[in-house]
């Protein structure tokens, strides 16, 4: 009797098909991400600070990729810049130039801040900046936040007139800045755009308290003072240029002592700087009151301001014998009163000269 071949049950074929479908290595894989192409996070919180020569951009350096993994092999950053008129449409598309390359050197860790200074700005222009993180040619982040501002040189320090403290109040008067930081005069049209921030702190404290903002007058009365406290006041000029408030690089500080009553301090005039072989000779005109003397200041090419005499001078001349590097230097003179907390008067005219 011939035997019969039995067909396998249908369910066996179904089971085999299911096993093939789930067996590892039998299906298609997603393509792997090539090393170094995973995008890094963009720079954190791009900010700007307007200077007398242009602007300084700063941002936090990211330490992670978009998937949360640590960045390895950070190369640097690309800074993109666009330019327009002061009344540029903020919502319109912008044409950014080829980026400036800022290399990253050193060890990557949390809390690092990068900075870039741009000195190619033009007065009256409106500028836009954004930054991108770069790990390699095919691994660049999305753009950071965009910052924009109109550029104008900052105003110089206001001129002090005096502090009068009596009957439980402090009265402060000052004059507006005479110059912008590039040496140009503050005209009548510019005066209408000047406002001030007024700060106060106790003389033995470090933290300032903001008393007034967008203050338009040059006369301030503080009625909220304690009779047994000494105070320091700070007047910060703000020049409103287009849509950008431009703070001064220096603030006027004035001291109000307990039950102090002080008249005006004279202003040194006609300051002249004459280069000599052994230094720079300064001459000026002013009359000193009792217990008063002169203080001489110098600002260097990097913006550092130094007091050149330890003790107040009693005569109207001074020679700066410091061996100065090449650059532009600015001198001015003030009158200060004697005592444990000297009170300083307004500065003289400022004299600039080039050292070759």
């Amino acid at each position: 009797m011939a035997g019969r071949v039995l067909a396998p049950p249908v369910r066996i074929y179904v089971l085999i098909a299911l096993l093939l479908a789930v067996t590892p290595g039998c299906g298609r894989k997603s393509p792997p991400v090539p090393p170094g192409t995973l995008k890094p996070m963009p720079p954190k919180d791009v900010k700007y600070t307007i200077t007398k020569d242009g602007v300084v951009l700063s941002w936090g350096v990211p330490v992670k990729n978009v998937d949360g993994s640590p960045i390895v092999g950070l190369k640097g950053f690309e800074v993109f810049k666009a330019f327009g008129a002061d009344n540029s449409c903020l919502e319109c598309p912008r044409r950014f130039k080829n980026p400036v390359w800022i290399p990253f050197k050193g060890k990557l860790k949390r809390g690092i801040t990068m900075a870039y200074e741009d000195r190619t700005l033009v007065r009256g222009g409106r500028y836009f900046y954004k930054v991108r993180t770069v790990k390699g040619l095919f691994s660049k982040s999305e753009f950071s936040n965009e910052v924009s501002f109109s550029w104008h040189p900052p105003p110089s320090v206001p001129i002090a007139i005096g502090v009068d403290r009596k009957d439980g109040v402090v009265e402060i008067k000052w004059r507006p800045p005479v110059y912008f930081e590039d040496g140009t005069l503050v005209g009548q049209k510019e005066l209408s755009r000047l406002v001030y921030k007024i700060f106060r702190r106790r003389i033995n404290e470090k933290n300032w308290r903001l008393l007034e903002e967008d203050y338009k007058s040059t006369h301030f009365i503080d009625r909220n003072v304690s009779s047994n406290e000494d105070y320091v006041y700070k007047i910060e000029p703000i020049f409103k240029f287009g849509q950008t408030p431009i703070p001064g690089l220096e603030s006027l500080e004035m001291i109000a002592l307990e039950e102090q009553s002080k008249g005006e301090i004279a202003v040194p005039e006609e300051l002249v700087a004459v280069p000599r072989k052994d230094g720079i000779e300064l001459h000026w005109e002013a009359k000193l009151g009792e217990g008063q003397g002169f203080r001489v200041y110098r600002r260097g090419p990097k913006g550092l301001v130094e007091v050149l005499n330890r003790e107040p001078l009693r005569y109207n001349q001074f020679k700066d014998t410091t061996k100065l590097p090449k650059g532009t230097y600015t001198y001015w003179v003030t009158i200060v009163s004697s005592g444990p907390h000297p009170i300083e008067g307004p500065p003289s005219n400022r004299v600039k000269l080039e050292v070759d």
Side-chain angles (χ1 to χ4, degrees), residues 79-257:
V79 178
F80 292 80
K81 170 185 175 182
F83 170 80
D86 180 53
N87 58 355
S88 296
C89 170
L90 297 182
E91 291 76 26
C92 298
R94 287 176 273 284
R95 294 182 179 179
F96 285 91
K97 298 181 179 180
N98 292 332
V100 174
W101 173 244
I102 309 296
F104 177 79
K105 299 179 180 179
K107 187 177 180 180
L108 184 59
K109 58 182 179 180
R110 292 182 181 275
I112 298 178
T113 300
M114 294 287 288
Y116 164 67
E117 183 177 13
D118 187 354
R119 295 190 175 191
T120 64
L121 308 190
V122 178
R123 182 195 298 241
R126 185 162 190 88
Y127 294 89
F128 307 83
Y129 292 88
K130 56 186 179 181
V131 187
R132 188 162 64 182
T133 312
V134 178
K135 287 199 315 183
L137 181 62
F138 301 105
S139 181
K140 300 181 180 182
S141 75
E142 300 296 329
F143 288 112
S144 69
N145 61 298
E146 184 178 291
V147 295
S148 67
F149 56 88
S150 299
W151 190 81
H152 190 284
S156 62
V157 66
I159 299 174
I161 295 180
V163 177
D164 193 11
R165 178 171 181 173
K166 58 185 178 181
D167 300 328
V169 301
V170 175
E171 183 177 10
I172 304 174
K173 295 180 182 179
W174 64 93
R175 284 184 240 165
V178 178
Y179 301 95
F180 291 104
E181 289 292 344
D182 65 345
T184 57
L185 288 170
V186 177
Q188 290 298 320
K189 184 181 294 185
E190 288 83 8
L191 281 175
S192 63
R193 302 183 191 176
L194 277 170
V195 295
Y196 304 91
K197 284 184 178 181
I198 302 176
F199 300 86
R200 186 190 71 193
R201 65 175 173 84
R202 290 181 173 85
I203 203 166
N204 59 347
E205 293 179 342
K206 293 183 179 180
N207 295 329
W208 294 94
R209 175 187 173 191
L210 178 62
L211 299 181
E212 292 286 348
E213 193 168 13
D214 286 340
Y215 193 74
K216 294 184 177 181
S217 174
T218 56
H219 180 197
F220 176 72
I221 297 178
D222 187 3
R223 304 181 186 279
N224 188 23
V225 294
S226 301
S227 59
N228 59 345
E229 294 280 359
D230 295 329
Y231 295 97
V232 184
Y233 292 83
K234 182 167 69 172
I235 315 296
E236 179 180 306
I238 308 289
F239 180 61
K240 292 193 170 182
F241 185 65
Q243 303 176 46
T244 305
I246 300 178
L249 302 183
E250 297 179 71
S251 299
L252 172 65
E253 292 191 15
M254 308 176 76
I255 297 175
L257 302 177

Side-chain angles (χ1 to χ4, degrees), residues 32-51:
V33 178
T37 60
L38 185 63
K39 283 188 176 183
M41 293 292 290
K44 300 178 181 178
D45 194 19
V46 177
K47 299 178 181 179
Y48 71 89
T49 302
I50 292 176
T51 70

Side-chain angles (χ1 to χ4, degrees), residues 250-285:
E250 297 179 71
S251 299
L252 172 65
E253 292 191 15
M254 308 176 76
I255 297 175
L257 302 177
E258 182 182 356
E259 299 306 322
Q260 166 194 4
S261 181
K262 179 184 73 66
E264 295 185 8
I265 295 181
V267 183
E269 298 178 341
E270 299 182 19
L271 174 64
V272 177
V274 182
R276 304 291 187 188
K277 290 183 178 180
D278 57 346
I280 297 171
E281 199 169 88
L282 304 173
H283 302 270
W284 60 90
E285 297 292 334

